[in-house]
Amino acid sequence: MGATPQGQVDTVVLIHGLWMTPRSWQGWVERYTRRGMHVIAPAWPGMDRSVEQLRDDPTPIADQSMATIVAHYDKIIRALPRPPIIMGHSFGGLFAQVLADRGLGAAVVGVHPAAVKGVLKVPLSQLRSGFPILRSPANRSKAVPFTADDFAYTFGNTMSREDSDRAWLRYAVPGAGRVFFEGAFANVDPRSPARVDTTRDDRAPLLLLAGGADHVVPASVVRANAALYQKSRALTAYQEFPDRSHFTVGADGWEEVADYALDWALRAAALPREATIASESPRR
């Protein structure tokens, strides 16, 4: 692909989620780069190490908090010459919404995003997914081990056990207890870092993607998240992929999700801002 026309969005910032590192975005980085995009996938602050190193010494994971993570990406994005497309998976999708609320991004995509404050749905599969961290209040300040069995339920539930174990070895790191607790108890924290103003009309266009087989952030949670934006006149869209698990960024068929996300974001970012003041109601 040739040079990007002046003024056109040419950069994608990818934000990984809990239990993952930027390695989870490897396929997306390569695919988007081949399409002529400049792609950056920074680690959470202090986590710019390999999966293997973080398993050996998870101290940088234990140190994470939502506020410091969002501040880290805020600084990176503001330093870019033009507003980028911001995409986040899982907790990264929640952070992407917080960044949009700060006026950042030309278009924003949450891929199976953790819920912002105000989403009240908590399906049983979501509770089961978070139990390894939530079962002990002491885990709030720890990096909690993520076993192959944990991964098989939360990320690998649409894969064979052999494929799930292989993916666990390549991609999974312990979970940041503080981040998970902050997300889980956002609705009882008046100063929650997961709070966004879902009524504002001047944010970037927002797309929320869900998976019908996701145990960690079930589609019903993402629909409820999207519904919070109905009072906003800014462009909000929802799309569900029926058979996708929480490992949608890496499981077979990820290319369809990646292409949909980028195509939508490029179209939305190219619209005059006044044309994005029209809500696409989430499907129920």
Side-chain angles (χ1 to χ4, degrees):
M1 184 176 291
T4 303
Q6 186 174 6
Q8 181 174 322
V9 175
D10 62 356
T11 300
V12 180
V13 176
L14 299 173
I15 307 175
H16 67 86
L18 193 79
W19 298 305
M20 292 280 116
T21 73
R23 184 182 286 181
S24 62
W25 290 117
Q26 182 177 359
W28 294 52
V29 171
E30 294 172 356
R31 193 171 185 86
Y32 288 174
T33 300
R34 287 196 298 270
R35 289 187 58 173
M37 304 300 294
H38 172 54
V39 187
I40 57 176
W44 291 5
M47 284 182 58
D48 50 348
R49 308 178 188 185
S50 71
V51 167
E52 295 75 19
Q53 289 172 322
L54 288 168
R55 284 179 167 178
D56 289 342
D57 178 14
T59 303
I61 299 173
D63 292 339
Q64 301 297 319
S65 72
M66 288 180 60
T68 57
I69 295 168
V70 172
H72 174 68
Y73 287 99
D74 183 302
K75 183 178 180 180
I76 290 170
I77 292 166
R78 290 186 191 277
L80 296 172
R82 288 191 294 271
I85 293 167
I86 303 172
M87 293 189 188
H89 171 239
S90 192
F91 266 93
L94 166 57
F95 303 148
Q97 292 178 75
V98 175
L99 292 165
D101 188 45
R102 295 184 178 189
L104 298 176
V108 177
V109 180
V111 183
H112 300 211
V116 301
K117 180 176 180 176
V119 175
L120 302 179
K121 286 184 174 292
V122 187
L124 288 176
S125 70
Q126 192 170 39
L127 289 173
R128 164 67 178 83
S129 298
F131 181 72
I133 294 178
L134 292 176
R135 64 185 169 188
S136 171
N139 285 339
R140 184 181 181 92
S141 59
K142 296 179 180 179
V144 182
F146 199 46
T147 68
D149 287 343
D150 294 334
F151 189 91
Y153 182 80
T154 55
F155 283 71
N157 56 298
T158 61
M159 308 164 71
S160 70
R161 183 57 191 254
E162 181 181 8
D163 287 343
S164 175
D165 287 352
R166 188 160 38 242
W168 170 73
L169 282 171
R170 175 158 178 76
Y171 296 107
V173 296
R178 183 177 292 105
V179 172
F180 198 92
F181 271 85
E182 287 177 328
F185 294 97
N187 287 324
V188 296
D189 179 359
R191 303 180 67 179
S192 170
R195 181 181 180 275
V196 303
D197 180 0
T198 56
T199 67
R200 63 179 299 170
D201 299 332
D202 59 347
R203 60 161 169 81
L206 173 66
L207 169 65
L208 299 182
L209 301 178
D214 191 327
H215 283 169
V216 181
V217 188
S220 61
V221 175
V222 184
R223 283 196 299 271
N225 193 153
L228 291 179
Y229 289 99
Q230 288 185 327
K231 292 183 180 179
S232 167
R233 295 173 59 225
L235 180 61
T236 306
Y238 170 85
Q239 179 65 33
E240 185 174 325
F241 292 85
D243 301 320
R244 303 304 294 173
S245 72
H246 198 62
F247 193 45
T248 193
V249 299
D252 288 351
W254 63 265
E255 296 90 346
E256 179 187 5
V257 181
D259 288 347
Y260 186 97
L262 184 58
D263 290 344
W264 186 95
L266 287 171
R267 289 195 305 269
L271 292 171
R273 180 47 62 97
E274 59 271 17
T276 67
I277 308 300
S279 179
E280 299 179 22
S281 298
R283 295 180 298 181
R284 298 184 181 279

